[in-house]
Amino acid sequence: MLAAIGSGERTFTNVARAAGGIVATSLQRALELLTGKRIVATELPVSLCPSKDRRYRVADPYLRFRLHLLGPSMEEIERGRGDLALARIRENWTSWRGRAVEPLVREALARILPDDRLPAAPAVGGYWTRTNDVEIDIVGADRAPIAKELLFVGSIKWLERSAFDRHDLAALYRHRAALTDEPVPVVAVSGGASTAGGLTPPTVPTTC
């Protein structure tokens, strides 16, 4: 089960399927044990509306790396073909790192704010829908998971050779409009430069 979560499965149903069809009661007990020991982190989307779309991740980034990138390659490494494992790590490194850095960025924002651009946020999380048609990397709010007030939203793009651009900004505005009709500030956290210029954000009324 831990290997299933470490490999990238994040929902209860997908974890159960990847773990070999483990029954729901057994999976629930195991998840409660692992979250209690802080090995697995459980998250809910931060929004003004209640949600049951809980997701799971391995809390320690080094353990996630071991489970996701090293674990499937252990047989190759043991027979002296570490070159194959290294090639696979290089191929998947960018996508793995992009997901791994998200909780670190949220924790950093919670620690360094407020500043001259963004207010302090007692809760910094993310937002997603069950179908992932709307996904926001950063949501700052007065509390979580059901907020009374949203303070800012943001996007994380941790790529050295690809800047946060106008298309990324437009997508962030669209997703913000699906979350709230208030013009809360937007923030971009990027491993490279930003080429996003000013855009007029769309307004889409939201309902719980």
Side-chain angles (χ1 to χ4, degrees), residues 57-138:
R57 62 177 172 84
V58 175
D60 182 79
Y62 296 103
L63 181 55
R64 288 203 305 274
F65 179 86
R66 166 67 172 77
L67 292 169
H68 185 56
L69 295 178
L70 284 182
S73 304
M74 288 308 297
E75 291 185 1
E76 293 171 341
I77 294 172
E78 289 170 355
R79 67 172 185 263
R81 293 307 308 271
D83 58 314
L84 299 177
L86 180 59
R88 191 174 298 109
I89 289 172
R90 285 174 171 166
E91 180 182 354
N92 292 281
W93 171 252
T94 299
S95 60
W96 177 86
R97 183 187 58 179
R99 183 68 70 179
V101 78
E102 290 181 7
L104 303 179
V105 169
R106 296 185 192 114
E107 291 172 11
L109 286 173
R111 292 178 180 179
I112 66 176
L113 294 177
D115 62 16
D116 58 346
R117 293 166 295 181
L118 293 174
V124 180
Y127 175 77
W128 55 87
T129 59
R130 185 173 297 276
T131 58
N132 288 329
D133 56 329
V134 176
E135 195 167 8
I136 304 176
D137 300 328
I138 302 168

Side-chain angles (χ1 to χ4, degrees), residues 82 120 129 164 206:
T129 59
F164 184 90
T206 58

